[in-house]
Each structure stands twice: as C-alpha cells, then as structure tokens.
Amino acid sequence: MSYTFQDLPYAYDALEPVIDEATMHLHKDKHHKTYFDKFVAAIAETDFNGKSLPEIFANISALSPAIRNNGGGYYNHDLFLNGMRAPQENNTPSGELANAIKAAFGSFEDFQKAFADAAVNQFGSGWAWLVLQDGKLVVSSTPNQDNPLMDVAAVRGTPILGLDVWEHAYYLNYQNKRPDYVSNWWKVVNWDYVSEQYAAAK
C-alpha cells in the first residue's frame, strides 16, 4: 500500500468557535504534515515499507522511535481530524454505537465522564481513546503519539475515537485550560464517522 496525506473533510474554520481556524492550520499543515513526511522517510528504510499501519503498529516495539512517533502522529491525527464536524448542540451518538456505549459504561454521560477523565488526566502530551477491545468498548489514554494498535500500549484494541491533548491542539484558544477544551470538544465529534469506525472494527 502507499501512504497518503488526506485533506481535511471540512473547511479550516468549520469547527469554530470550539477549535479556531489558526489552530487548525497549525495542526494540519504543520504538525500533521511533518509527522506524515517523517514517517514516510523512516519506514522507507525498512522491510515494513508498504505494509498497513495496523501491521506496523503491531510490531512497533521492534521498530525505530522515528517510526513509532511519526507513524503514530500520522495515524492518530487522521482519526482525530476526520472524526470532527461543525459544532452541534446536544451532540450524541445513535443506533448500534449508542447501544454499545450504554452497555459498556451505563450511560452516555458516564462514558463522557470516563473519557474526559482520561483526557484531562493524561500527564503531559498524549491522547484519549474510545477503543473496541474483544468486542467491548473501553476508554484508555496513551502518551506522546502512541495508540492502542501498538504492541507497547497498556490497553490494546482498535481505536474508533481519539482526542488529541497535546498543547498544540488547543493552546492558542484555551491556553492551559485543557478541561475547557475537552468539554467543548464534544460539540464537534462526528458520531456518524465514529459509528463507521465502530462497524469496521467489529
């Protein structure tokens, strides 16, 4: 397979006021693009060049830090950026995904609390995840650009929703107020996309 750098599926200002246009340009055009370029360069020097990202991540402990960090940054940002849309009030999942969240966490509100706790309490830079693990949804977090597909992750599984809590994701608008960023982010989650990821992961 070849690796591609996707365009945003919406305008850079589409997520305002939750995520501002300047942050989106910085995040997509600088950070994400750099991760992609460095991953492609690093993987090209290995026998894993052309293999799928899940296959690479399943063997990440045997590969270089450049592949781990930049491959994670490339994949994680695709899931994060594609999983958002213009802000909506009372933004909640429906159908099979909603039922699975209720079965795993008791209620959507209980899921939100668990996920927000993972995001806010991730020390330093990292991610919060909703993960399908052995047929059940669980919440986890990872440091740096790690993700649950990697063989180094404490909680392994297929991520279907990811939230970037690196400071570059929110600092221009929220400064050090990560909890405010996390709270507002629920308005821009694209639950249709997350449902698609859930169906594919099953």
Side-chain angles (χ1 to χ4, degrees):
M1 64 169 289
S2 60
Y3 309 107
T4 58
F5 185 72
Q6 302 176 18
D7 292 332
L8 282 177
Y10 41 76
Y12 282 88
D13 63 354
L15 306 182
E16 290 189 340
V18 175
I19 301 178
D20 60 285
E21 182 178 2
T23 292
M24 290 303 297
H25 274 291
L26 179 70
H27 208 164
K28 179 66 178 177
D29 302 342
K30 304 298 184 183
H31 291 283
H32 192 195
K33 185 63 162 62
T34 298
Y35 286 127
F36 171 76
D37 290 342
K38 289 186 174 181
F39 165 72
V40 170
I43 201 69
E45 300 175 359
T46 74
D47 293 338
F48 281 83
N49 191 28
K51 294 188 182 298
S52 70
L53 291 172
E55 187 173 0
I56 292 168
F57 294 152
N59 295 277
I60 206 70
S61 59
L63 297 171
S64 69
I67 294 172
R68 176 176 173 174
N69 295 332
N70 293 295
Y74 165 39
Y75 170 88
N76 297 354
H77 283 89
D78 270 349
L79 189 71
F80 170 64
L81 294 169
N82 288 330
M84 296 187 290
R85 62 184 173 194
Q88 298 183 22
E89 295 297 330
N90 303 313
N91 188 27
T92 58
S94 59
E96 192 174 0
L97 176 61
N99 293 335
I101 288 174
K102 185 176 180 181
F105 300 97
S107 69
F108 179 67
E109 291 73 22
D110 287 338
F111 155 67
Q112 283 184 300
K113 183 180 185 306
F115 191 95
D117 285 347
V120 170
N121 295 318
Q122 169 57 43
F123 182 77
S125 300
W127 294 77
W129 304 100
L130 178 61
V131 181
L132 186 64
Q133 181 189 64
D134 300 325
K136 182 180 179 181
L137 292 174
V138 297
V139 162
S140 72
S141 63
T142 56
N144 303 315
Q145 293 295 353
D146 288 356
N147 65 57
L149 291 171
M150 293 182 174
D151 64 3
V152 295
V155 176
R156 296 192 64 187
T158 303
I160 64 170
L161 174 68
L163 174 58
D164 189 346
V165 292
W166 283 63
E167 286 187 342
H168 67 240
Y170 61 88
Y171 207 84
L172 289 183
N173 202 14
Y174 296 93
Q175 286 79 53
N176 64 334
K177 299 173 185 174
R178 185 189 289 185
D180 292 353
Y181 160 67
V182 174
S183 178
N184 285 328
W185 171 78
W186 293 111
K187 298 175 185 176
V188 297
V189 175
N190 184 345
W191 289 111
D192 292 337
Y193 178 82
V194 181
S195 292
E196 292 170 5
Q197 301 306 303
Y198 175 63
K202 289 177 65 182

